[in-house]
Coordinates of all heavy atoms in Angstrom, one line a residue:
F1 N 78.8 156.6 51.6 CA 78.2 157.0 50.3 C 77.5 158.4 50.5 O 77.6 159.3 49.6 CB 77.3 155.9 49.8 CG 76.6 156.2 48.5 CD1 77.4 156.4 47.4 CD2 75.2 156.2 48.4 CE1 76.8 156.6 46.1 CE2 74.7 156.4 47.1 CZ 75.5 156.6 46.0
A2 N 76.7 158.5 51.6 CA 76.0 159.7 51.9 C 76.9 160.9 52.0 O 76.6 162.0 51.6 CB 75.1 159.5 53.1
E3 N 78.1 160.7 52.6 CA 79.0 161.7 52.8 C 79.6 162.3 51.5 O 79.9 163.4 51.3 CB 80.1 161.3 53.7 CG 81.1 162.3 54.1 CD 82.2 161.8 55.1 OE1 82.1 160.6 55.5 OE2 83.0 162.6 55.5
K4 N 79.8 161.4 50.5 CA 80.4 161.7 49.3 C 79.5 162.3 48.2 O 79.9 163.2 47.4 CB 81.2 160.5 48.7 CG 82.3 160.0 49.6 CD 83.0 158.8 49.1 CE 84.1 158.3 50.0 NZ 84.7 157.0 49.5
I5 N 78.3 161.7 48.0 CA 77.5 162.1 46.9 C 76.9 163.5 47.1 O 76.6 163.9 48.2 CB 76.4 161.1 46.6 CG1 75.5 161.0 47.9 CG2 76.9 159.8 46.2 CD1 74.2 160.2 47.6
P6 N 76.8 164.3 46.1 CA 76.3 165.7 46.2 C 74.7 165.8 46.2 O 74.2 166.8 46.5 CB 76.8 166.4 44.9 CG 76.9 165.3 43.9 CD 77.3 164.1 44.7
F7 N 74.1 164.6 45.9 CA 72.6 164.6 45.9 C 72.2 163.3 46.4 O 72.9 162.3 46.6 CB 72.1 164.8 44.5 CG 72.6 163.7 43.5 CD1 71.8 162.5 43.4 CD2 73.7 163.8 42.8 CE1 72.2 161.5 42.5 CE2 74.2 162.8 42.0 CZ 73.4 161.7 41.8
V8 N 70.9 163.2 46.7 CA 70.3 161.9 47.2 C 69.2 161.5 46.2 O 68.3 162.2 45.9 CB 69.6 162.1 48.6 CG1 68.8 160.8 49.0 CG2 70.6 162.5 49.6
P9 N 69.4 160.3 45.6 CA 68.4 159.8 44.6 C 67.1 159.6 45.2 O 66.9 159.0 46.3 CB 69.0 158.4 44.2 CG 70.5 158.5 44.5 CD 70.5 159.4 45.7
N10 N 66.0 160.1 44.6 CA 64.7 160.0 45.1 C 64.1 158.7 44.7 O 63.2 158.6 43.9 CB 63.8 161.2 44.6 CG 62.5 161.2 45.2 OD1 62.3 160.7 46.3 ND2 61.6 162.0 44.6
I11 N 64.6 157.6 45.3 CA 64.1 156.3 45.1 C 63.7 155.7 46.4 O 64.4 155.7 47.4 CB 65.3 155.4 44.5 CG1 65.7 155.9 43.1 CG2 64.8 153.9 44.4 CD1 66.9 155.2 42.5
N12 N 62.4 155.2 46.4 CA 61.9 154.6 47.6 C 62.0 153.1 47.5 O 61.6 152.5 46.6 CB 60.4 155.0 47.8 CG 60.2 156.4 48.2 OD1 60.8 156.9 49.2 ND2 59.5 157.2 47.4
N13 N 62.6 152.5 48.5 CA 62.7 151.1 48.6 C 62.4 150.6 50.0 O 62.2 151.4 50.9 CB 64.1 150.6 48.2 CG 65.2 151.0 49.1 OD1 65.1 152.0 49.9 ND2 66.3 150.3 49.1
Q14 N 62.4 149.3 50.2 CA 62.2 148.7 51.5 C 63.2 147.6 51.8 O 63.5 146.7 50.9 CB 60.8 148.0 51.5 CG 59.6 149.0 51.5 CD 58.3 148.3 51.6 OE1 58.1 147.3 51.1 NE2 57.4 148.9 52.4
R15 N 63.8 147.7 52.9 CA 64.8 146.7 53.3 C 64.6 146.2 54.7 O 64.4 147.0 55.6 CB 66.3 147.3 53.3 CG 66.7 147.7 51.9 CD 66.8 146.6 50.9 NE 67.7 145.5 51.4 CZ 68.9 145.4 51.1 NH1 69.5 146.2 50.2 NH2 69.7 144.4 51.6
S16 N 64.6 144.9 54.9 CA 64.6 144.4 56.2 C 66.0 144.6 56.9 O 67.0 144.3 56.3 CB 64.3 142.9 56.2 OG 63.0 142.6 56.0
T17 N 66.0 145.2 58.0 CA 67.2 145.5 58.8 C 66.9 145.2 60.2 O 65.8 145.0 60.6 CB 67.7 146.9 58.6 OG1 66.6 147.8 59.1 CG2 68.0 147.3 57.2
I18 N 68.0 145.1 61.0 CA 67.8 145.0 62.5 C 68.9 145.7 63.2 O 70.1 145.6 62.8 CB 67.8 143.5 62.9 CG1 67.4 143.4 64.4 CG2 69.1 142.8 62.6 CD1 67.0 142.0 64.8
S19 N 68.6 146.5 64.2 CA 69.6 147.2 65.0 C 70.3 146.1 65.8 O 69.7 145.1 66.2 CB 69.0 148.2 65.8 OG 68.2 147.7 66.9
V20 N 71.5 146.4 66.2 CA 72.3 145.5 67.0 C 71.6 145.3 68.4 O 71.6 144.3 69.0 CB 73.8 145.9 67.2 CG1 73.9 147.2 67.9 CG2 74.6 144.8 67.8
D21 N 70.9 146.4 68.8 CA 70.2 146.3 70.1 C 69.1 145.3 70.0 O 68.9 144.4 70.9 CB 69.6 147.7 70.5 CG 70.7 148.7 70.9 OD1 71.1 148.7 72.1 OD2 71.2 149.4 70.0
N22 N 68.3 145.4 68.9 CA 67.1 144.5 68.7 C 67.6 143.1 68.5 O 67.0 142.1 69.0 CB 66.3 144.9 67.6 CG 65.3 146.0 68.0 OD1 65.0 146.2 69.2 ND2 64.7 146.7 67.0
L23 N 68.7 142.9 67.8 CA 69.3 141.6 67.6 C 69.7 140.9 68.9 O 69.4 139.8 69.2 CB 70.5 141.6 66.6 CG 71.1 140.3 66.3 CD1 70.2 139.3 65.8 CD2 72.3 140.5 65.4
C24 N 70.3 141.7 69.8 CA 70.8 141.2 71.1 C 69.6 140.9 72.0 O 69.6 139.9 72.7 CB 71.7 142.2 71.7 SG 73.3 142.2 71.0
L25 N 68.5 141.7 71.9 CA 67.3 141.5 72.6 C 66.6 140.2 72.2 O 66.1 139.4 73.0 CB 66.3 142.6 72.5 CG 66.7 143.9 73.2 CD1 65.8 145.1 72.9 CD2 66.8 143.7 74.8
F26 N 66.7 139.9 70.8 CA 66.1 138.7 70.3 C 66.9 137.5 70.8 O 66.3 136.5 71.3 CB 66.1 138.7 68.8 CG 65.8 137.4 68.2 CD1 64.5 136.9 68.1 CD2 66.8 136.5 67.8 CE1 64.2 135.7 67.6 CE2 66.6 135.2 67.3 CZ 65.2 134.8 67.2
I27 N 68.2 137.6 70.8 CA 69.1 136.4 71.3 C 68.8 136.2 72.8 O 68.7 135.0 73.2 CB 70.6 136.8 71.1 CG1 70.9 136.8 69.6 CG2 71.4 135.7 71.7 CD1 72.3 137.3 69.2
N28 N 68.6 137.3 73.5 CA 68.3 137.1 74.9 C 67.0 136.4 75.1 O 66.9 135.5 76.0 CB 68.2 138.5 75.6 CG 67.8 138.4 77.0 OD1 68.4 137.8 77.9 ND2 66.6 139.1 77.3
K29 N 66.0 136.8 74.3 CA 64.7 136.1 74.4 C 64.7 134.7 74.0 O 64.1 133.8 74.5 CB 63.6 136.9 73.6 CG 62.2 136.3 73.9 CD 61.1 137.4 73.6 CE 59.8 136.9 74.1 NZ 58.7 137.9 73.9
A30 N 65.6 134.4 73.0 CA 65.7 133.0 72.5 C 66.3 132.1 73.6 O 65.9 131.0 73.8 CB 66.7 133.0 71.3
I31 N 67.2 132.7 74.4 CA 67.7 132.0 75.6 C 66.7 131.8 76.7 O 66.5 130.7 77.2 CB 69.0 132.7 76.1 CG1 70.1 132.7 75.0 CG2 69.5 132.0 77.4 CD1 71.3 133.6 75.4
E32 N 66.0 132.9 77.0 CA 65.0 132.9 78.0 C 63.9 131.9 77.7 O 63.4 131.1 78.6 CB 64.4 134.3 78.2 CG 65.3 135.3 78.9 CD 64.5 136.6 79.1 OE1 63.6 136.9 78.4 OE2 65.0 137.4 80.0
K33 N 63.4 131.9 76.5 CA 62.2 131.1 76.1 C 62.6 129.7 75.6 O 61.7 128.9 75.3 CB 61.4 131.8 75.1 CG 60.9 133.2 75.5 CD 59.9 133.1 76.6 CE 59.3 134.4 77.0 NZ 58.3 134.3 78.1
G34 N 63.9 129.5 75.4 CA 64.3 128.2 74.9 C 63.9 127.9 73.5 O 63.5 126.8 73.1
F35 N 64.1 129.0 72.6 CA 63.7 128.8 71.2 C 64.5 127.7 70.6 O 65.6 127.3 71.0 CB 64.1 130.1 70.5 CG 63.1 131.2 70.7 CD1 63.3 132.5 70.1 CD2 62.0 131.1 71.6 CE1 62.5 133.5 70.4 CE2 61.2 132.2 71.8 CZ 61.4 133.4 71.2
D36 N 63.9 127.1 69.5 CA 64.5 126.0 68.8 C 63.9 126.0 67.4 O 62.7 125.9 67.1 CB 64.1 124.7 69.5 CG 64.7 123.4 68.8 OD1 65.7 123.6 68.1 OD2 64.2 122.3 69.0
G37 N 64.8 126.3 66.4 CA 64.3 126.3 65.0 C 64.9 127.5 64.2 O 66.0 128.1 64.6
F38 N 64.2 127.9 63.2 CA 64.7 128.9 62.2 C 64.0 130.2 62.5 O 62.7 130.3 62.6 CB 64.5 128.5 60.8 CG 65.2 127.3 60.4 CD1 64.7 126.0 60.6 CD2 66.5 127.3 59.9 CE1 65.3 124.9 60.3 CE2 67.2 126.2 59.5 CZ 66.6 124.9 59.7
Y39 N 64.7 131.3 62.7 CA 64.1 132.6 63.0 C 64.7 133.7 62.1 O 65.9 133.7 61.8 CB 64.4 132.9 64.5 CG 63.7 132.0 65.4 CD1 64.4 130.8 65.8 CD2 62.5 132.2 66.0 CE1 63.8 129.9 66.7 CE2 61.9 131.3 66.8 CZ 62.5 130.2 67.2 OH 61.9 129.3 68.0

């Protein structure tokens, strides 16, 4: 979308996201610490 549009809308929003690196680090810690439940 960024490549195609000639302008960027000046709208500020907030989105929860996670990088694949951080997600994998979380999974690793879940295994190390024996997590159990909803995360």
Side-chain angles (χ1 to χ4, degrees):
F1 183 59
E3 185 176 0
K4 294 178 180 179
I5 59 173
F7 62 90
V8 174
N10 189 17
I11 297 176
N12 287 304
N13 67 337
Q14 290 182 320
R15 295 299 303 264
S16 285
T17 58
I18 187 165
S19 70
V20 66
D21 290 275
N22 275 344
L23 179 57
C24 288
L25 289 171
F26 169 80
I27 294 172
N28 174 62
K29 188 156 191 178
I31 296 170
E32 286 183 338
K33 302 294 185 180
F35 286 178
D36 183 20
F38 299 88
Y39 297 85

